[in-house]
Amino acid sequence: DKSLGRQVAIKRILGTMTRISAAVNRFITEAKSIAALNHHNIVQIYEFGQDDDGPLIVIEYVSGGSLLDRLKKNKLDPEEAIRITCQLCDALTFAHGKGIIHRDIKPANVLLTEDGVPKLTDFGLAKQQNIDHGQTAVGAIMGTIDFMPPEQRRDSSSVDERSDLWSLAAVSYQMLTGKSPQGYRLDKLPSNIASVLGRMLEEDPAERFASAAEFKEALKLASSSVAVASVKELTS
């Protein structure tokens, strides 16, 4: 951005997809969803426009790569994984408060700053709670299968906040274990953390934490218990 002297990212619709109305509608949905969410853990939008190549979104440039890139190298230390998960809980608390369900939370859609601050991106599948404008047909399946909660695999139009939280717990599992959450095994996790993620990964949404704030609080409490236990082990 030469006028303001800052780096930005420009996102476009790929190739001939610009001629498909559903793709353009999704792109507009993404622009409007991000525009409604001014939060430091969500990638910010600067401008929505159009040129000869079709519509474009000018967004915040995040230079540290994606969480997926980071996980290709190795799993994360538990402290870092919990920190990232808690910050993403903050992002979802804000988004859900605005009535926006992301529906595609996965490592590839979490960008990292050079300082390791996570920023949620790619709201192309976002659902405005109670106002989906008919974009999602009943029974339609959208998202990324490894990080898709059971109810979303059956019908993407019926998801709510707890569906995003299942996906975030799946991301947290991969951060902690370095393994895909498909066929997850809680015995691969620290016992206290396992109980929290296990509840969040329940098949029945009613059995999960009801909000991102509750999920975050449980994670913080569990991780502090693990830290205390570790200190006791070292000093005994």
Side-chain angles (χ1 to χ4, degrees):
D1 182 347
K2 294 181 179 180
S3 63
L4 293 175
R6 64 181 175 187
Q7 281 190 299
V8 298
I10 297 177
K11 185 171 183 177
R12 296 182 178 275
I13 300 175
L14 186 63
T16 57
M17 294 292 287
T18 56
R19 296 196 291 270
I20 300 175
S21 61
V24 175
N25 288 339
R26 288 287 170 205
F27 200 66
I28 294 171
T29 294
E30 176 170 15
K32 290 182 176 180
S33 296
I34 302 174
L37 302 174
N38 184 17
H39 190 277
H40 64 278
N41 293 122
I42 298 174
V43 170
Q44 297 300 289
I45 185 171
Y46 298 140
E47 186 178 353
F48 179 82
Q50 184 150 347
D51 61 15
D52 292 342
D53 295 321
L56 58 89
I57 305 174
V58 182
I59 58 176
E60 176 184 3
Y61 175 69
V62 184
S63 59
S66 71
L67 180 59
L68 177 62
D69 297 331
R70 175 69 179 79
L71 290 174
K72 286 178 180 177
K73 300 174 184 176
N74 207 347
K75 66 181 181 180
L76 304 188
D77 292 334
E79 183 178 344
E80 184 179 10
I82 298 305
R83 175 185 63 79
I84 289 174
T85 304
C86 286
Q87 290 187 47
L88 292 174
C89 279
D90 291 339
L92 288 178
T93 294
F94 191 81
H96 293 164
K98 298 289 187 179
I100 293 173
I101 311 299
H102 189 282
R103 294 200 293 194
D104 196 20
I105 295 170
K106 58 184 178 182
N109 286 341
V110 177
L111 301 181
L112 300 170
T113 69
E114 295 290 348
D115 297 327
V117 176
K119 290 180 178 280
L120 189 59
T121 189
D122 201 343
F123 282 75
L125 298 185
K127 172 188 175 182
Q128 185 78 32
Q129 191 76 306
N130 301 321
I131 315 173
D132 199 24
H133 303 296
Q135 290 191 62
T136 307
V138 173
I141 299 174
M142 303 184 315
T144 303
I145 194 68
D146 280 4
F147 300 93
M148 191 186 300
E151 66 274 15
Q152 191 169 338
R153 298 178 200 182
R154 294 188 293 268
D155 180 4
S156 291
S157 68
S158 65
V159 301
D160 62 15
E161 291 91 341
R162 297 166 298 181
S163 305
D164 273 353
L165 298 180
W166 191 100
S167 299
L168 179 54
V171 171
S172 187
Y173 178 88
Q174 185 162 344
M175 284 193 285
L176 287 161
T177 66
K179 306 293 184 182
S180 166
Q182 285 299 306
Y184 65 85
R185 290 179 51 186
L186 297 180
D187 61 346
K188 297 294 185 182
L189 299 167
S191 58
N192 289 6
I193 299 298
S195 64
V196 177
L197 292 190
R199 177 172 174 181
M200 203 65 258
L201 292 168
E202 286 283 354
E203 181 171 354
D204 182 356
E207 298 296 322
R208 304 171 197 160
F209 294 106
S211 69
E214 286 184 29
F215 183 23
K216 176 184 176 180
E217 188 60 32
L219 273 177
K220 288 176 66 178
L221 182 62
S223 60
S224 66
S225 299
V226 170
V228 169
S230 299
V231 170
K232 288 181 178 179
E233 289 172 3
L234 289 172
T235 56
S236 61

